[in-house]
Amino acid sequence: MLDQLLSKGLAQAGGSFWMPPQASTSAEGVDRLFYFIFWIAAFFFALIVVLMIFFAVRYRRRKASEGPGGGPTHNTALEITWTIIPLGIVFVIFFLGFRGFLDLNTPPANAYEVQVTAQRWKWLFTYPNGHVDDNLHVPVDRPVQLVMTAEDVIHSFYVPDFRIKRDIVPGRYNKTWFRAPQPGEHDIYCAEYCGTGHSDMLAKVIVHPAGDFEVWLDGVSGALDKLPPAEAGAQLFKARGCLQCHSVEGKGGIGPAMNGVFGTTVVMKDGSSVLADENYIRASILEPQSQIVAGFEPVMPTYQGRLKDKEITAIIEYLKTLSGEGGAH
Ligand code: CUA
């Protein structure tokens, strides 16, 4: 079949005008169904346009005096034919689609599991040993299951090269899975409009060659513990998504800028003033709704259970350096 030939050629060529490279084991089936539907649609489009032009010319009004001619008003055989044939086609499309749907919804039992957290506007990937990364690293040729949830609004996890896309909804877990047979790098997009930073909500899937994934995970796990707290804090501030809303260069964002805040007096929405000390920062991270700075909206999700005490301390140490405190002495 033409569509099979095409998708086989694509797998070798690594993408085409229509489709990105096929980088997961599910991609070929998805593309095959796409081309199957595409060529059916193309065939009927061409057939209908050709017949339309032919009839328009063949039965055109030749003389000004000519009225509409009589013709058949009913043809049972014809009506049954144009009902049965499309019905058969949509049944085939349904069957192929349902098979693909089941495949995409049934991760193999031995799948490696990674937790995915989506928040405005950042992806976080948590590994079984507790390491959190802002890119998705996976072993080659092994099924990977993603258990995904959102902190704030609906997002959608989309990897075109893998042909997978799944919405992520706050307050529930949605799953998807894939197996990438070749090492490489692929783009992750958010495919559900989630606010001003939606188009920046990008990450990468890094498919590690055989054996390399374990080496990578060992290397990065606990790496922050070896850094001075303020440096670990700087990395956490970026990697955990704080920077998406809190500038450290004094520019306004969704949240207050963080440079020069530590040690100053901050005015709250209710008119009260609070000294920005360690306890204030800690409370702002764990219970962001409890103290809203004047001029800002209560949109920050809580980091309760998402940052360890040691990590919060490291972020506080980092914020001190932004006010010229800490580190210096
Ligand atoms: Cu997250 Cu769009």
Side-chain angles (χ1 to χ4, degrees):
M1 274 164 82
L2 186 56
D3 55 281
Q4 263 164 350
L5 278 175
L6 262 170
S7 62
K8 197 169 242 165
L10 270 183
Q12 285 150 8
S16 69
F17 177 75
W18 295 105
M19 290 289 186
Q22 296 178 333
S24 78
T25 48
S26 312
E28 201 182 332
V30 171
D31 289 4
R32 194 180 304 140
L33 183 57
F34 171 83
Y35 282 108
F36 181 66
I37 297 171
F38 174 81
W39 286 114
I40 288 174
F43 170 77
F44 281 104
F45 174 76
L47 181 72
I48 289 164
V49 168
V50 167
L51 285 179
M52 207 167 64
I53 293 168
F54 173 74
F55 289 146
V57 174
R58 176 82 176 74
Y59 299 108
R60 71 188 185 279
R61 193 182 193 186
R62 282 156 219 258
K63 274 178 277 164
S65 60
E66 207 171 29
T73 56
H74 190 81
N75 188 326
T76 307
L78 199 59
E79 283 179 23
I80 288 175
T81 309
W82 74 43
T83 304
I84 296 292
I85 292 177
L87 196 65
I89 293 171
V90 291
F91 266 120
V92 171
I93 291 172
F94 171 79
F95 173 76
L96 294 174
F98 191 60
R99 208 173 53 176
F101 173 83
L102 289 180
D103 171 57
L104 288 169
N105 277 280
T106 318
N110 63 338
Y112 184 79
E113 197 173 292
V114 180
Q115 311 288 323
V116 179
T117 310
Q119 68 180 58
R120 288 178 289 179
W121 290 279
K122 185 93 186 155
W123 299 99
L124 295 177
F125 302 96
T126 309
Y127 293 84
N129 70 355
H131 172 69
V132 181
D133 209 277
D134 49 359
N135 286 306
L136 174 59
H137 293 256
V138 297
V140 73
D141 210 22
R142 180 158 172 207
V144 175
Q145 172 167 238
L146 304 176
V147 179
M148 311 187 289
T149 192
E151 289 295 332
D152 35 40
V153 296
I154 300 179
H155 302 268
S156 186
F157 181 85
Y158 179 34
V159 183
D161 291 359
F162 291 171
R163 311 290 191 273
I164 56 170
K165 177 153 78 70
R166 170 88 13 138
D167 280 7
I168 308 182
V169 181
R172 60 169 294 172
Y173 295 98
N174 279 2
K175 294 177 182 178
T176 189
W177 78 278
F178 61 88
R179 181 154 71 87
Q182 300 291 333
E185 235 180 73
H186 309 282
D187 292 316
I188 299 171
Y189 299 92
C190 178
E192 183 68 49
Y193 183 69
C194 54
T196 52
H198 161 72
S199 56
D200 286 327
M201 196 166 161
L202 305 168
K204 295 249 180 226
V205 190
I206 293 106
V207 184
H208 287 264
D212 192 53
F213 172 73
E214 290 73 15
V215 177
W216 168 82
L217 191 57
D218 266 3
V220 289
S221 300
L224 286 182
D225 294 341
K226 294 173 199 117
L227 290 176
E231 277 173 43
Q235 292 201 14
L236 284 166
F237 197 79
K238 189 163 168 279
R240 298 301 179 85
C242 313
L243 199 52
Q244 305 287 327
C245 298
H246 297 286
S247 159
V248 292
E249 288 158 353
K251 277 182 243 130
I254 302 287
M258 283 293 118
N259 48 317
V261 164
F262 193 88
T264 61
T265 302
V266 183
V267 180
M268 297 291 121
K269 208 169 191 171
D270 62 8
S272 62
S273 336
V274 181
L275 176 68
D277 60 0
E278 286 90 345
N279 285 316
Y280 167 77
I281 305 284
R282 184 183 162 83
S284 296
I285 293 171
L286 296 178
E287 294 155 27
Q289 312 294 325
S290 69
Q291 32 191 13
I292 303 303
V293 175
F296 292 93
E297 293 303 315
V299 292
M300 177 170 160
T302 173
Y303 277 74
Q304 190 93 50
R306 292 203 287 147
L307 284 171
K308 301 186 198 96
D309 277 354
K310 212 162 83 178
E311 294 171 329
I312 293 173
T313 307
I315 288 173
I316 293 171
E317 288 307 305
Y318 168 60
L319 295 183
K320 283 182 188 175
T321 66
L322 295 178
S323 299
E325 293 194 39
H329 26 236

